[in-house]
Amino acid sequence: MRNSFNRSRAALLTATSALAVIAAGQAHAQQAAAPAAAPASTEVEEIVVTGFRASLANALNVKKNSNLIIESVTAEDMGKFPDQNISESLQRLPGVQIDRENGQGTKVRIRGLDQNVTLLNGDNFLSGLEAFRLGEGNAKQTNSLEGIPSDLLAGVDVIKSPRADVIEGGLGGTVNLKTRNALDVRDDTTISADLRYNQGSFKGKAKPQVSVVLGHKFSDNFGLLGSFSWDQTNVDTEVLSGENRGNWAFKSRNTATGNNQVATGTTNVWSPEYRYTNNRHQERERTAFSLNADLRVSDSLTVQADWFHSDLKIFTGEHSLKWAYANENATYNAQGLTIKDGILQSGSVTANSSEGDTFAKDAEAKTDNFQFVANWDNGGPLTGKVRAAVSKSDYQSNSGQVDTRYTQYGVRDGISGFAPNATAPLTATYGFTNGAYPTFTPSAALATAMATPSSVFFKSHWAFGDKSEIKDTALTGDFKYTPSFAEEVGLVFSFGARYSDRKIDSTYGRYLADYSGKGELPASAQGTTVGGTFVDWTPLGYFQDGAIGLKKCDIASFGCSRFGSSPAVITPYQTAASNPSRAVKDNVNGVTAIFQDYAQMKNPVGWIQALYPSTKFAFYKDPIESFKISDKTTSTYAMADLGNADDAYHINAGVRIVNTKLVIDASNTPVTPLWWGTDSWNGVLKNPDASRTVREYTDVLPSLSGVFEINDTDKVRASAARVVSSQNLFDLGQGASYNFTRSSNPGPNLDKFLYTNGSGGNPNLDPFRASQFDIAYERYFGPQGLISGGFFYKTVDSFIVSNTYSVTVKDQSVAGSSVGPFSSVVNGQGGTIKGVELQAQYAFDFGFGFTANYTYSDSKSPYSNDYSKSLPIPGVSKTAFNVQGYYETGPFSSRLSYAWRDKAYLGNFGFGSGSDVHTLGIYNKAYGQLDGQVAYEVTPALKITLEGSNLTKQDAETYLQFPGLPFRFVGGDRRVSIGARFKLGL
């Protein structure tokens, strides 16, 4: 079992020791060189600070001179950021943590909160990943910044204390991405290029990364600047999943004497519906560019135009093994069974079946952000700025999936059925050893079947897709007025207005096969009664599974059984022996098995159509999972600033008034549903009840802040504000969605598709609203020296919480319906978050420097479960720290950084039925990452770099309530890149 704490501690000791050795070595070198010091000179030597040291100096100046509580990152060199995407670039700032997925930084959390707003040059910005689904379980994700390369930006500000003229939307804060302006570059011609090759630690070839910056100032009044970035990355990770399977159990799990399914007793043990051990492979290709035109029309008028484009393509392929514990009549062997506090430590299980799964997803996220700004300032008391912004993002994906059977599987043939993989065992037995990434050991018979082509049956095939399109248009006017009587005291009045129109169209659907002419009732029969049965289906199907017979065989008068004597519906039936070209062997967590090759599924729709060339497939929208949202906001603000640049104080007070009009178009299931397809689980709803929700509300957001210089080195900042943040898109738009699983338990429901769990949104959710207070003390000293401490307090009016309760849903069971958990979201009670941020930074004369920060966050929310009340706000780690050391002298430079965050509560997981109902908490374990870089400047224009991220290969681990009960695991991948950086005219 991997020990995350020991690995994190070792990484921290490594980083600290390395920094100490660098510092000690340089101090010794200084002492040794002291006798040879040159005579004192009356001339002052000019010291030019460059490289990473210069970027920290620039960021420190931004923080020092700002009237807000702000953290900044600036580009190390033109066209180069320290990290591969913007999310990763921000993780080292005080109060900032990030989420990770597949080895990439994704969502930014400010003081633990993910309800933040991302802007581009202070205006609209879309990343292309505002709303999308991830993996086989279609986990809903929002607001990832992984598609935005850091190479294109000049800097990023994280604004923690809002002001009336800053666009609303950040509960935790605002992330403002800043592009370069052509007239701001130093020389007339700018050329910069960066070429790198990166490779992960698991497997695969090195992949290229290229970034280029080209710019030219045609005169002092006009310039053009363009940045281009392209990279390819292969990511391979080990994953423990199954969190999307909600039918867990605890009480009275069957035990047997030996490896069989003859129950002789019971035991209480936390039993997942399924565990999935998974090899995940991703191929990423990202193309992005930004263009800037900067024109000084006259002494009083300047105009700028920007275009920011990003195109991220991701292919995901997975080979996973499925291990049953609360399904498939799973029975624990009482002999050698070890259970501690209800958690299985070791033992073996016998279940009805064993399967592998191949998943392939072809996804693309594209975004275009256009901005136009005109600034007017003729030196008079009134100045103004007009901004227009148009943003558009498109995300679309298609996915294909194959279940591969390693135990015998019966298919339809018009008689009694047969098993194409008759050489496979009837049941599956496997051992279990607990750990962050548990070990599963198949019995000898099962291990043999998994690797024997004749025993491996390609059982079930399906394909689905989703698309999200967002368009955002905004027009803003900002004005400042400085009355003549107030110039001496620095009194400036600002006011402005903004109109924004955002439209979201999210579509999810399934590719259904047309079974017309294959013996099924025709589509014209839908809505009629045949043989005493109301026909609510059409001759279409989602799961291409040989065990599923004709739907009409559920009607007694046809004299056949759907899962028995029905004729075959979809053929051919193929094993790894009958069609070896489909098969590939893979080793998943120590188990070798044959899978469908995901490399053949890079076009999922073309793949499934090629499997069944005589059957037509078409996309059918799922109205329950699809929605449209229109979000129109009109905002006005007025504020006043008091204090000139040379005054020892600056005070800002203002108010922003935001009117929001929401129109949400969603769908619900009617009393008498009809289906495109044969069943709810084997198609999509045909006759949804359309639901339109129209809402309007107004928020008044006052703000007050002050900066006070105690002396030349010390500052005190304070702020108070009211903030608001929009609701989660999926929470607003999604209707009631249900999940079904085919039962293999002996009895009347054998082979039936039964309801397991479901979820739904709520169009009447209110936005997040909060009041916040900040106070900070800062001392600046020496060359790039800073010590600061701050206290923050935020009280949130209401959190959006998930309620899980039991519902009865129609399915194929003999009873006609089953009871299972269903989760929906509502506005719950409020909560608080308070904490302390500490920061230190210094650059020594001998080339060594460091930055360090620490954040403590104590939060309470209305969330509760079976074990805790007033749980923390989801995603908030109580403690987090970052430490970074660097050394730059002559042509050589290096840096080492370590970012660590404590465990974090993520939300609840509810499951069960009857007396076996439970709600447990989901927690991320503590995570720490060590990164480093070494560079050598061959010439002033050429630098060679060697970079490494996640040097200790830290794993990401999630557990369910108890640290010893693993819930999810993603293996850590060390990534190393080597490259060359060229610059000219900078």
Side-chain angles (χ1 to χ4, degrees), residues 97 99 107 109-115 171 768 799-802 829 831-833 859-864 870-877 901 903-908 922-924:
Q97 295 97 43
D99 292 350
K107 181 180 292 187
R109 294 180 179 271
I110 301 175
R111 293 170 172 170
L113 300 174
D114 66 348
Q115 296 88 8
L171 192 71
F768 296 91
F799 280 99
I800 296 173
V801 298
S802 177
Q829 297 177 354
T832 60
I833 179 170
S859 67
K860 292 182 180 180
S861 76
Y863 286 88
S864 63
S870 298
L871 285 157
I873 296 172
V876 177
S877 295
R901 61 179 293 185
K903 75 173 185 179
Y905 166 73
L906 301 181
N908 288 331
I922 307 170
Y923 294 84
N924 268 346

Side-chain angles (χ1 to χ4, degrees), residues 213-503:
V213 178
L214 296 173
H216 184 70
K217 289 195 288 188
F218 297 90
S219 68
D220 291 339
N221 297 321
F222 179 64
L224 295 174
L225 183 69
S227 301
F228 172 81
S229 175
W230 177 83
D231 62 81
Q232 286 184 330
T233 305
N234 283 2
V235 181
D236 292 277
T237 52
E238 297 176 310
V239 177
L240 174 72
S241 60
E243 65 272 16
N244 62 306
R245 296 289 192 167
N247 201 19
W248 283 45
F250 175 69
K251 293 181 180 179
S252 302
R253 310 314 302 158
N254 285 341
T255 60
T257 303
N259 291 323
N260 58 68
Q261 293 174 292
V262 181
T264 57
T266 62
T267 187
N268 293 339
V269 58
W270 297 112
S271 302
E273 181 179 357
Y274 292 104
R275 292 285 199 193
Y276 289 83
T277 50
N278 188 327
N279 283 353
R280 177 178 293 165
H281 171 76
Q282 280 199 338
E283 299 171 10
R284 292 169 169 257
E285 181 179 359
R286 183 175 58 187
T287 304
F289 63 80
S290 66
L291 297 175
N292 169 260
D294 207 348
L295 173 64
R296 187 177 292 114
V297 179
S298 66
D299 291 341
S300 58
L301 179 62
T302 62
V303 295
Q304 294 176 349
D306 288 276
W307 178 14
F308 190 103
H309 170 85
S310 178
D311 185 350
L312 175 64
K313 298 176 182 177
I314 305 176
F315 170 75
T316 303
E318 298 179 358
H319 290 150
S320 59
L321 296 172
K322 182 167 68 173
W323 313 92
Y325 286 87
N327 205 338
E328 307 277 357
N329 195 29
T331 306
Y332 293 89
N333 185 348
Q335 299 172 336
L337 185 65
T338 304
I339 298 172
K340 183 179 180 181
D341 299 325
I343 300 173
L344 177 64
Q345 302 299 317
S346 61
S348 60
V349 172
T350 299
N352 289 348
S353 70
S354 173
E355 292 184 354
D357 178 81
T358 297
F359 172 76
K361 184 168 191 171
D362 180 33
E364 183 175 13
K366 292 196 298 184
T367 180
D368 287 284
N369 294 270
F370 302 94
Q371 295 181 343
F372 176 84
V373 181
N375 287 279
W376 179 73
D377 183 356
N378 66 352
L382 181 66
T383 64
K385 177 192 295 185
V386 175
R387 296 180 289 161
V390 178
S391 300
K392 184 178 184 298
S393 72
D394 290 285
Y395 173 86
Q396 57 183 351
S397 73
N398 283 314
S399 302
Q401 205 158 336
V402 180
D403 278 346
T404 303
R405 188 79 162 208
Y406 306 122
T407 51
Q408 289 186 28
Y409 190 70
V411 297
R412 310 281 68 81
D413 63 354
I415 309 175
S416 58
F418 72 101
N421 59 338
T423 59
L426 291 172
T427 61
T429 297
Y430 38 88
F432 174 89
T433 303
N434 197 23
Y437 191 34
T439 301
F440 302 84
T441 307
S443 66
L446 180 59
T448 298
M450 289 173 136
T452 301
S454 62
S455 298
V456 177
F457 174 54
F458 300 120
K459 164 200 156 200
S460 187
H461 312 77
W462 64 99
F464 54 93
D466 70 318
K467 180 179 181 179
S468 294
E469 182 179 283
I470 303 178
K471 296 179 181 179
D472 199 342
T473 304
L475 182 64
T476 306
D478 299 295
F479 302 92
K480 290 184 178 182
Y481 178 69
T482 307
S484 57
F485 67 85
E487 289 183 358
E488 291 186 3
V489 295
L491 179 61
V492 179
F493 297 101
S494 301
F495 56 94
R498 183 174 189 267
Y499 174 78
S500 174
D501 184 1
R502 175 173 288 201
K503 290 180 169 40

